[in-house]
Amino acid sequence: MESDYGLPRQLSHLQHARSLYRPQLPPCLEGTAVRVEFGDATTAVDISGASAISQSFPHTYGQPLAHFLRATSNVPSAQIITEHPAIKVGLVFCGRQSPGGHNVVWGLHEALKIHNPKSTLLGFLGGTEGLFAQKTLVITDDVLSTYRNQGGYDLLGRTKDQIRTQEQVNAAMAACKALKLDGIVIVGGVTSNTDAAHLAEIFSQAKCSTKVVGVPVTLNGDLKNQFVEANVGFDTVCKVDSQLISNLCTDALSAEKYYYFVRLMGQKASHLALECTLQSHPNMVILGEEVVASKLTIFDLTKQICDAVQARAEKEKYHGVIIFPEGLIESIPEVNALLQEIHRFLRQGISKDKIPSQLSPWASALFQFLPSFIREELLLYPASDDSAQLSQIETEKLLAVLVDAEMSKRLKEGTYKGKKFTAICHFLGYQARGSLPSKFDCDYAFVLGHICYHILAAGLNGYMATVTNLKDSLNKWRCGAAPITAMMAVKDYGRASGSMTIGKPVVHSATVDLRGKVYEVLRQNATKFLMEDVYRNPGPLQFDGPGADSRTVSLHIQDLDYMGRIKELNTYLEKVRSIVKPGCSQDILKAALSAMSSVADVLSVMSSPSNGTV
């Protein structure tokens, strides 16, 4: 199989046209000089865990933000790098494949060659397993020719998603030393970038010269924080899934006799389900975060859906589309507790056929209540991140069975007088992640690839490539880099119980903020979506013309551009310093002291751990 990696592919007319598209670069990345401005030292997003994080990452914690500037920028403190010796860089795909990943490779390769044609990019074949085994492919223009702007990870492939154990870390370091790599770029999500941070720290401790850079690429959209506005692949997957959901909405409205139960990807976070709902307007969506917050049981969810079906039937509507994230099953308190028991037995080596007899009484009762197909799926060995095999658990089918039984009961008892309930189930898990990437994801990934080179040219280690102000036009994007340790936390809130456990510092999945602006838009429209069939079809991916430059709804709603605001704040601080100098009037000094004292007091309260602001 390894011999197939990087081979030219036969492209359709559309694929060929896409391969000829060349993304533009923001002004700050143009030219052959790297201009970088370093900000203040960073702290951790989790203030209460800052001490633990700094102790775990003594060499890479507290590094400054980096802003890459256009050549015409008048910033005296900026560092201008004009010398670009030939370097050798490795790149590895981690995690589930996301549309746009190939353009990270292309952008990095182009940046390397622009700054020194003798530089080399090596792609590791087969993900982290290829890294450990030192199996590489030299990336060239010919190799990239049929992979530019194409979906999937088939240029290099991927296998296991982790660089975590001591053996794996040692193998990664051995590969970097043997191949004499100046840098290694890890393309992935929260787990992969956590591994990248640990690798950077260990390399620094061991005085390994290889610099580690992370890139936010994950279709789940859960690698979000003040530095990372969006993930490569999320835009594409949302658009592809939204079209499929919209098609089902139209079909349901046409036949007027089916309920489509649709499960989407999205493990610990329901961003994909939320965004697709805002794009296509199905009748109902149940987010994992809502279930956790309200501690909804499987029976609560069944009743909630049945009540919705009954309310629609009273308006003579016997059709609909309901969306669920794949992580919903772990959000249900009693099912989550059952899974924890099962996983504990599996890790002890107990065969799955003997586990049912060893469950606690309450867990056994729930297990026996569930349909046989779900029992088999719950007994699957957990994934590498200790979660259930969520893509294999048919939550939508479980809910359809339970709703069907309850609606039949209501019909028999006479409390429901409508037509018989009929559900058709779908899992949109793999139909979108191999899609041709959207124009946004092509551009975003390509720019991130270029930023990876700028990070390495600046000699930075343990950083993630970042772009902010993404909702604006590309020429206004702000490019930079942030230490991965600044995105870490040690608090881990349980999915179902809400209890807090303290663990190792990691980059945590960002869940849907139930107090945020995006969720508020959903809540404002929930009743309309449920009762009025205001289905919306965004259509297929557009590469030219109307819709080609569209962004996700959530990206427009959210109030982002953290890096830009940091720079704006620094501008104001410098302005204060320029006005309040020794020799200024007493009135100016008093006004400055009063204002700054008030600001300091407010910020102290907001940033205290007891306030919960992180």
Side-chain angles (χ1 to χ4, degrees):
M1 178 62 191
E2 290 160 13
S3 60
D4 293 339
Y5 290 129
L7 290 179
R9 300 183 296 178
Q10 184 174 352
L11 302 181
S12 68
H13 292 303
L14 177 58
Q15 284 180 298
H16 178 68
R18 293 305 298 150
S19 72
L20 298 178
Y21 169 71
R22 189 192 183 286
Q24 299 300 305
L25 288 175
C28 59
L29 299 183
E30 293 176 344
T32 55
V34 174
R35 299 171 61 88
V36 57
E37 177 191 13
F38 292 106
D40 295 328
T42 54
T43 185
V45 63
D46 172 22
I47 297 172
S48 62
S51 176
I53 298 169
S54 64
Q55 290 175 19
S56 297
F57 297 87
H59 295 80
T60 52
Y61 178 78
Q63 298 186 98
L65 290 180
H67 304 272
F68 298 111
L69 310 175
R70 63 177 69 196
T72 57
S73 297
N74 183 22
V75 181
S77 62
Q79 183 181 128
I80 303 174
I81 303 170
T82 56
E83 296 295 323
H84 300 278
I87 61 174
K88 185 187 289 187
V89 181
L91 181 145
V92 59
F93 285 138
C94 297
R96 295 197 280 187
Q97 48 267 38
S98 297
H102 286 151
N103 275 30
V104 176
V105 184
W106 179 20
L108 175 55
H109 172 262
E110 181 179 274
L112 284 165
K113 295 301 182 181
I114 284 174
H115 292 91
N116 192 319
K118 294 183 180 179
S119 291
T120 303
L121 177 59
L122 300 178
F124 287 102
L125 302 177
T128 53
E129 290 292 296
L131 167 63
F132 305 147
Q134 301 180 30
K135 296 177 180 177
T136 63
L137 172 69
V138 178
I139 304 299
T140 65
D141 287 332
D142 287 341
V143 166
L144 285 168
S145 62
T146 57
Y147 292 90
R148 296 187 181 104
N149 304 310
Q150 307 298 311
Y153 276 5
D154 50 325
L155 170 62
L156 301 173
R158 40 87 38 163
T159 48
K160 289 185 178 179
D161 305 336
Q162 65 181 43
I163 314 172
R164 196 167 311 144
T165 67
Q166 191 60 52
E167 182 182 4
Q168 291 169 339
V169 169
N170 290 342
M173 187 184 299
C176 291
K177 288 182 176 179
L179 296 169
K180 298 180 179 178
L181 296 183
D182 297 285
I184 181 169
V185 174
I186 295 176
V187 178
V190 290
T191 301
S192 303
N193 278 283
T194 295
D195 290 347
H198 283 281
L199 203 63
E201 176 65 27
I202 292 170
F203 280 16
S204 182
Q205 291 177 9
K207 294 183 169 50
C208 174
S209 60
T210 306
K211 309 299 184 186
V212 183
V213 177
V215 188
V217 180
T218 170
L219 58 87
N220 293 322
D222 57 347
L223 206 179
K224 293 171 71 174
N225 50 59
Q226 63 268 54
F227 307 107
V228 183
E229 294 184 0
N231 306 149
V232 172
F234 183 72
D235 183 85
T236 302
V237 171
C238 287
K239 287 172 178 172
V240 173
D241 279 350
S242 292
Q243 187 208 359
L244 296 174
I245 293 166
S246 298
N247 292 349
L248 292 175
C249 290
T250 302
D251 188 80
L253 187 59
S254 301
E256 296 186 304
K257 60 180 179 179
Y258 300 121
Y259 271 88
Y260 288 107
F261 281 40
V262 184
R263 175 167 49 107
L264 302 178
M265 283 189 168
Q267 298 177 329
K268 291 180 174 61
S270 308
H271 298 292
L272 184 59
L274 174 56
E275 175 64 30
C276 288
T277 299
L278 295 177
Q279 288 196 28
S280 56
H281 302 178
N283 298 102
M284 191 175 184
V285 61
I286 297 176
L287 307 180
E289 292 83 351
E290 294 174 312
V291 175
V292 170
S294 300
K295 295 184 172 64
L296 299 178
T297 68
I298 191 73
F299 305 105
D300 293 330
L301 294 178
T302 302
K303 182 179 184 302
Q304 186 175 329
I305 297 170
C306 289
D307 289 348
V309 170
Q310 187 159 338
R312 286 178 57 78
E314 289 170 2
K315 290 182 173 288
E316 297 188 352
K317 294 184 177 184
Y318 299 100
H319 61 276
V321 178
I322 305 177
I323 308 298
F324 314 95
E326 64 180 356
L328 180 67
I329 194 75
E330 281 192 323
S331 303
I332 303 169
E334 70 275 23
V335 180
N336 182 274
L338 170 60
L339 281 167
Q340 297 310 311
E341 279 201 33
I342 291 172
H343 291 171
R344 186 172 67 252
F345 288 130
L346 287 171
R347 292 190 193 95
Q348 292 172 359
I350 298 173
S351 61
K352 65 179 185 179
D353 58 311
K354 294 182 179 178
I355 289 177
S357 64
Q358 299 194 37
L359 294 171
S360 62
W362 69 265
S364 178
L366 175 60
F367 188 78
Q368 294 304 320
F369 164 78
L370 296 171
S372 59
F373 69 90
I374 283 290
R375 291 184 221 156
E376 287 296 317
E377 293 161 1
L378 295 181
L379 288 169
L380 294 171
Y381 199 86
S384 60
D385 63 353
D386 294 330
S387 64
Q389 294 278 3
L390 297 175
S391 63
Q392 306 300 316
I393 300 177
E394 299 170 292
T395 311
E396 75 287 4
K397 187 176 176 182
L398 168 64
L399 288 169
V401 168
L402 296 177
V403 170
D404 183 40
E406 174 62 20
M407 294 309 298
S408 296
K409 177 185 173 185
R410 293 185 184 189
L411 188 63
K412 184 176 181 180
E413 293 173 346
T415 54
Y416 168 65
K417 304 182 185 302
K419 296 179 181 178
K420 179 172 170 41
F421 170 81
T422 303
I424 299 176
C425 297
H426 293 275
F427 171 43
L428 303 183
Y430 307 103
Q431 296 88 336
R433 71 183 192 183
S435 168
L436 288 173
S438 66
K439 186 173 179 291
F440 173 81
D441 277 330
C442 287
D443 294 342
Y444 184 27
F446 184 74
V447 169
L448 287 171
H450 271 262
I451 293 173
C452 288
Y453 173 78
H454 281 59
I455 293 172
L456 294 171
L460 304 179
N461 179 40
Y463 277 69
M464 186 184 296
T466 65
V467 181
T468 61
N469 201 32
L470 284 169
K471 66 182 178 183
D472 215 325
S473 57
L474 186 144
N475 63 355
K476 294 181 181 178
W477 286 2
R478 304 181 197 274
C479 301
I484 303 175
T485 53
M487 308 174 191
M488 288 184 150
V490 295
K491 292 187 295 186
D492 185 12
Y493 292 91
R495 281 294 283 160
S497 65
S499 62
M500 184 180 75
T501 58
I502 303 298
K504 296 180 179 179
V506 297
V507 179
H508 283 279
S509 295
T511 54
V512 171
D513 182 1
L514 300 184
R515 296 175 298 177
K517 294 181 179 180
V518 181
Y519 182 73
E520 178 60 27
V521 171
L522 173 66
R523 293 274 50 88
Q524 290 172 355
N525 289 279
T527 302
K528 182 195 296 185
F529 288 175
L530 177 62
M531 302 305 299
E532 298 182 20
D533 293 350
V534 288
Y535 303 141
R536 176 180 181 272
N537 196 324
L541 275 181
Q542 300 296 308
F543 301 116
D544 294 293
D549 292 309
S550 67
R551 309 284 197 269
T552 57
V553 175
S554 53
L555 189 59
H556 279 289
I557 294 173
Q558 293 170 131
D559 194 15
L560 304 173
D561 195 16
Y562 182 86
M563 300 285 268
R565 285 177 178 154
I566 284 285
K567 287 184 68 64
E568 186 178 0
L569 173 62
N570 286 332
T571 300
Y572 280 115
L573 292 175
E574 288 299 325
K575 193 170 184 178
V576 171
R577 290 191 187 99
S578 69
I579 296 172
V580 186
K581 289 183 175 181
C584 69
S585 72
Q586 189 74 264
D587 289 341
I588 288 177
L589 181 58
K590 286 181 179 179
L593 278 171
S594 176
M596 298 303 283
S597 175
S598 297
V599 169
D601 288 344
V602 170
L603 296 180
S604 294
V605 172
M606 291 180 66
S607 61
S608 71
S610 61
N611 188 53
T613 303
V614 294

